[in-house]
Each structure stands twice: as C-alpha cells, then as structure tokens.
Amino acid sequence: MSGRAVLRRVLVAGAIVLLLAIAAIGVRIALPDLVRAHLSDRGCTVEAVIASGLGWEATGLVCPGLEARSVHGSLLNRAVRMAEVVCDASTWARREGSAGPGGSRRVRTVRVDGLEVRAGSLVLARNLAGHLVPLDLSGPGVIVRADGEAVHLEIERQLSGPPVAGRIQAEARWDLGTGRVEGHAAADPDDGLTVTWRLLGSTPLQGLVARTTVRGRVQGPTDLEGLFGWPGVSIPWTVREKEGGVLEFEAVLPDTDLAAVLGPLARLAPEVDRARVHGTVGGRLAWRRGGRPEATLRLDVRSVEGALPPAHGLDRGPFTWRCRSARGEIVPCHSGEGTPGWIPLEAVSPHLVHAVLAAEDASFYAHRGYDPKALEEALDADLAALRVVRGGSTLTQQLAKNLFLDGEQTLARKVRELLLAVEMDRALGKQRVLELYLNVVEWGPGIHGLGAACQRTFLKDPSRLDPLEAAFLAALLPAPRAGYRRAYLEGGPDRRRLAGILDAMVQAGWLHPEEAVVWKAAPLRLVPPPETVTLR
C-alpha cells in the first residue's frame, strides 16, 4: 500500500472520530433538554438533569403516581436505574383506558433501590430492590378497564403455578372515589386447583375447588373482609389497618364438619378418602405485619371408622411393618405374639411404663388417641416456622406413624396419623396400644422392641428395670439414634433429661420424691454396643 493511500485512510478515520466527538458533545449539551421535554410530555417534572457518561441523570423526579430521588438512564442499552422510589398504584389506575384485549400498558424494565408501593394512603410494600420485569396485564383471559371513576378487572385464565395452578374466574371493581373494593374469584368446578406447598404435602394437592370473596376499603385505613372456602367449608377473613399503618389479618373457622374440612386432602391422605370421620374442627389464624402468625385450634374427633387397613392384624398374633435397619435401610420387621422378642405388657417393669408415659404422653389414659392442646401448640409453632418443627403426637399417634406411615414432615401426614390413632384407640384399647408401642418403636440404631433394647443396653429382662434405667430408655424415644449416639460417643447420657423424667414420675404419683433423689445420683451402667452397630 502506498504512502498516499495510508494517509487518506488516516484522514478519513480522523474525520470520523472528529464527527463522533462533535456529535457526543452535542448530545451531552442537548441531552438534558431532551430528557426534560420527554418527561414533561408525560406530566413529569425534575429538579435537575445532567449528562452522565453515556447517559443522563435526573434528580427530584415527580410524575403522576411516581416519585424518585434520582433516575439514571443509559443510551447504550436503554437501562434505567431509580433510587428511593414511591409508586402510587391508585393514581396510575385513574388514567382512562384498557389493559385488556385491544390495549395494554407496559412498565419498562428498570432497576430500583428503595421502592415503596402505595395505593392511596395504604403502603403495600417498602424497601424493595431489584430489577422490575416487563409487566403486561393484557392477554387471553385478562381484561383491566379504567373509566376515570373505577378500575374493573375480569380474569378467566389458566394459572401455570407453582404454587397454584389451574383455571380461575375472577371479577373485581375498585371505586377510585371511595376506595371501595368488591370482587370474587373461584376455581374451575370440574378440575379445581393444584397447590404445591411443602408444608402441606410432599406431592401437590389436586382438585381444590376453592372460592373467595372480598369487599371493603383500600384508601384511607384499609378495611377488607371476605369469605374463603370450598364445598361445605366457609372461612370469614379480615384485613384491617391499625394505628401506625400496621396491617392485621385474621381468619376464623367456625366449628365445621371435620370430614368437609379434610375433604380436599383425600388424594394426599388415603385415610380421608376411605374412612368415616365424625367430629368438628374450628380455629383462628391471625397475623400482624412485623410479627409471627398465631393459631388456635378446636378439634373434636368423636370417631373414625375404616382408616386402618382391613387386615391389619394388630389385635392379636404376628404382624409385619416396615422399619429401619441399623444402616438406615427400610426392611421388614416382625412382631406380635409368637414372634421372637415379643414382650407382653404384664412382663414389663411398671417403672418403664411410667417413665415412657411421663416422657411421651402423660395424658395417655385420658384422651381418645390425640391431644388437642398439643396439636394446637404444634400447629402454632409450624406456622411460625413455615415448616413442621413440632409434632404434638401422642403415644398412639407415634405408633400409627411407625406402623403405617413414612417420616415426611407434612400436614398431610399429621392428618393421616390423627385418623389412624383415633381408630386404633377405639378398636384396640389403651392396654393393647401401649403393648404394641413398647414392642414396635425404635430404641436405638436398628433396635426395635423393648426386649431387644433391654438386652442390648442393660443385659436385663424388661421386668427387672429400675427407675433410672427406665428413665434412660424413655429419654431415647424422641430421637433414638441421636440419644444412643450421645450415650456412647458424646459424653454419656443426658443426666438432666433423666432427672426431668424422674421428676415427672414423682409429679404423676408413680415415684416417691426421696426415691427420685436417690436415683438421680445413682450410677448408670450401660453395656458397650456390639461392633456391628453403626452409631454415626
């Protein structure tokens, strides 16, 4: 290439760079006025606009229904970043138009820091941050209309979920003058909704034919009420704004037929589908913004028939259930009269019976297989944690879980456990339930049944256990593998726990106070575990 050609190319490139520089300078000079004009066309004002890098920055933005301390826009990717934003949804809704078929509004994708969303005086959310995705309210089955006086919403579409999937129909009207809202929504009566929630069940709940209504005021102090339910069940609910703008939610279930309340769980709990359940349930769920949910429960299960498998064989003779081996594998276990290791109740030391009842179910002889107060306390704790953290199970419910259920921590399993326990309590009687429990539950890694536990731990027959040995075995029951591991590998038995069980035996009148003092100080001699037992 000749020197003249090279010079020509250098001059062209220089001219292009010069033109770009002039254009960039022009853009930076004109950009603030262009941004002001663009915002003014949309009814917005700003305190100041400056060019910033390859974009612009505005402060003190005020638009109808939107305020922001600062806004930064990029000319390269048209990205927008906003800080300390207040959005009033009610002002936006006053604009006439439609966001249904034939018209739509899109919100640009922006990044926000410190977003506050309002509806009039009601603060819906504070301190939100992140990227806002494009929002399009139009589409098949959704119509939103604003006529200057009210916003009308009509929905008939398929929700894809999770957590909720299925076809819904809904209508609502928001009066912009009075702030009154009224509407209703319902699932398709043929297919219902599919709800995916780990606390509810390990598999989705299908076929929920739910409905809800709402009416009340959302401008000024919020005051909403409505009904939620499904066939045979109606639950009134309220949302009210208290002093300081704090929202309170409350839902109250009046005493209702238990079979109707449990009906939607039939696919998650086979016992609900096959059993005849007689009883009522009621309760209250309350939540205050900034606090934890609170629940009360009124449960009266009068009778359950048909929850147990037809040929359960628990009343007499040998039976088989699934248990865990020392290595944690699920294997068949055998127990009942005529099987090795079976211990009849009359051959069990009273100290052990008393220790187990004191530790696990002090009201065993007073209830009908379940303890309503314990279940209420467990429900309250589970809702606060949004997972199952407390069982509230009686000895009978624990037996039902061991014989028929797996270890999943869900509300559906608790319902199954409840129905099985009520029928077992009636059909088998207290003494048989207690006898089965002692011969079935796990007392350590792969140690099922009291006979094996006494031999493995103390080289004794169950009839010869003293109060301290009985307290030690009872202390294992909530977590037998962890308790067994602690006793042998992690510092020995929990003496404080053993003392607590002995005190509970004294309180129940099963042990003299002076005897308890002696046994608390007595040594506990454990037999070393065989090498084949896995403690980890």
Side-chain angles (χ1 to χ4, degrees):
M1 182 180 296
S2 65
R4 183 173 296 182
V6 172
L7 179 62
R8 185 183 302 113
R9 291 195 176 190
V10 170
L11 291 175
V12 170
I16 293 175
V17 171
L18 180 61
L19 289 174
L20 289 175
I22 294 173
I25 293 171
V27 168
R28 289 182 62 85
I29 293 174
L31 187 58
D33 291 334
L34 293 175
V35 171
R36 283 183 182 274
H38 181 79
L39 294 174
S40 179
D41 290 343
R42 285 154 178 77
C44 302
T45 62
V46 289
E47 293 178 357
V49 182
I50 60 172
S52 175
L54 296 177
W56 53 272
E57 185 173 345
T59 57
L61 173 69
V62 178
C63 299
L66 181 69
E67 298 180 9
R69 181 181 61 82
S70 65
V71 184
H72 181 273
S74 171
L75 298 179
L76 290 180
N77 55 13
R78 302 183 65 196
V80 175
R81 187 174 70 250
M82 308 176 75
E84 296 184 22
V85 186
V86 177
C87 172
D88 188 345
S90 65
T91 303
W92 285 23
R94 290 177 186 274
R95 302 177 184 177
E96 296 189 7
S98 171
S104 67
R105 294 196 185 104
R106 284 187 177 270
V107 179
R108 268 182 93 181
T109 302
V110 298
R111 174 170 178 80
V112 294
D113 294 295
L115 171 64
E116 179 177 296
V117 182
R118 292 176 170 267
S121 63
L122 172 64
V123 178
L124 301 176
R126 279 195 177 102
N127 298 323
L128 300 179
H131 287 87
L132 300 179
V133 298
L135 172 64
D136 189 358
L137 295 179
S138 67
V142 179
I143 299 176
V144 182
R145 301 190 312 276
D147 56 18
E149 296 181 356
V151 176
H152 305 267
L153 171 68
E154 298 177 19
I155 298 176
E156 185 174 354
R157 70 182 306 174
Q158 183 80 20
L159 300 179
S160 58
V164 180
R167 180 163 293 276
I168 64 166
Q169 297 176 329
E171 293 183 7
R173 183 182 186 274
W174 178 10
D175 189 301
L176 298 175
T178 64
R180 301 285 300 178
V181 172
E182 188 168 353
H184 64 269
D188 184 281
D190 295 324
D191 298 326
L193 299 175
T194 297
V195 181
T196 303
W197 187 25
R198 289 185 59 187
L199 179 61
L200 188 60
S202 58
T203 58
L205 170 65
Q206 297 179 328
L208 178 61
V209 185
R211 64 184 185 281
T212 189
T213 63
V214 60
R215 64 180 181 182
R217 184 180 65 246
V218 295
Q219 289 173 227
T222 302
D223 189 354
L224 297 173
E225 63 181 19
L227 294 172
F228 172 77
W230 51 90
V233 178
S234 185
I235 306 172
W237 60 267
T238 61
V239 175
R240 292 195 167 93
E241 185 177 357
K242 301 298 183 179
E243 186 177 352
V246 177
L247 291 180
E248 290 186 351
F249 167 82
E250 182 182 58
V252 177
L253 173 66
D255 290 342
T256 305
D257 178 55
L258 181 59
V261 174
L262 298 181
L265 294 175
R267 298 186 186 184
L268 297 181
E271 291 78 9
V272 172
D273 189 41
R274 67 174 182 248
R276 296 180 298 280
V277 181
H278 303 281
T280 60
V281 62
R284 172 181 175 269
L285 175 64
W287 174 76
R288 181 184 179 94
R289 189 166 67 183
R292 49 160 284 179
E294 297 179 357
T296 59
L297 178 68
R298 298 185 307 276
L299 181 61
D300 180 16
V301 189
R302 292 188 290 273
S303 67
V304 176
E305 300 176 13
L308 286 170
H312 54 76
L314 298 177
D315 47 357
R316 190 71 182 171
F319 57 89
T320 301
W321 82 100
R322 295 190 308 164
C323 64
R324 285 199 305 163
S325 69
R327 296 181 178 180
E329 302 165 335
I330 302 300
V331 297
C333 281
H334 310 281
S335 191
E337 289 82 356
T339 61
W342 171 261
I343 305 296
L345 189 59
E346 58 268 21
V348 178
S349 166
H351 296 311
L352 180 65
V353 173
H354 297 155
V356 168
L357 294 179
E360 293 297 298
D361 193 353
S363 60
F364 174 72
Y365 286 105
H367 60 60
R368 291 178 289 188
Y370 71 100
D371 185 341
K373 184 62 177 177
L375 288 177
E376 179 183 54
E377 293 172 353
L379 177 63
D380 192 45
D382 294 345
L383 288 174
L386 292 180
R387 59 188 181 91
V388 176
V389 295
R390 186 169 176 178
S393 296
T394 63
L395 185 149
T396 317
Q397 289 172 280
Q398 294 177 43
L399 176 61
K401 179 188 72 173
N402 277 273
L403 289 175
F404 301 111
L405 306 176
D406 56 28
E408 71 173 27
Q409 299 292 310
T410 65
L411 295 178
R413 196 214 78 190
K414 296 300 296 181
V415 168
R416 301 183 65 190
E417 184 182 283
L418 169 68
L419 299 183
L420 288 165
V422 172
E423 184 169 8
M424 290 170 64
D425 186 83
R426 177 194 59 81
L428 301 176
K430 295 293 186 182
Q431 296 302 93
R432 181 61 175 178
V433 167
L434 182 56
E435 187 174 54
L436 290 169
Y437 178 87
L438 295 175
N439 280 277
V440 164
V441 293
E442 187 178 32
W443 303 83
I447 307 172
H448 295 275
L450 179 60
C454 292
Q455 287 296 318
R456 183 73 61 83
T457 310
F458 301 114
L459 284 179
K460 282 187 175 182
D461 291 333
S463 61
R464 298 175 51 229
L465 294 178
D466 62 41
L468 183 59
E469 293 166 340
F472 170 77
L473 289 176
L476 294 174
L477 291 173
R481 296 183 179 235
Y484 199 84
R485 183 173 59 249
R486 169 171 178 155
Y488 285 102
L489 294 181
E490 299 174 2
D494 184 351
R495 299 293 300 217
R496 185 178 300 179
R497 170 67 173 152
L498 303 191
I501 294 175
L502 292 171
D503 287 338
M505 293 168 67
V506 171
Q507 188 175 2
W510 294 324
L511 190 65
H512 194 278
E514 294 180 359
E515 290 182 285
V517 172
V518 172
W519 287 113
K520 288 179 185 178
L524 181 67
R525 298 180 176 87
L526 302 177
V527 175
E531 296 181 358
T532 56
V533 173
T534 302
L535 295 179
R536 291 187 294 272

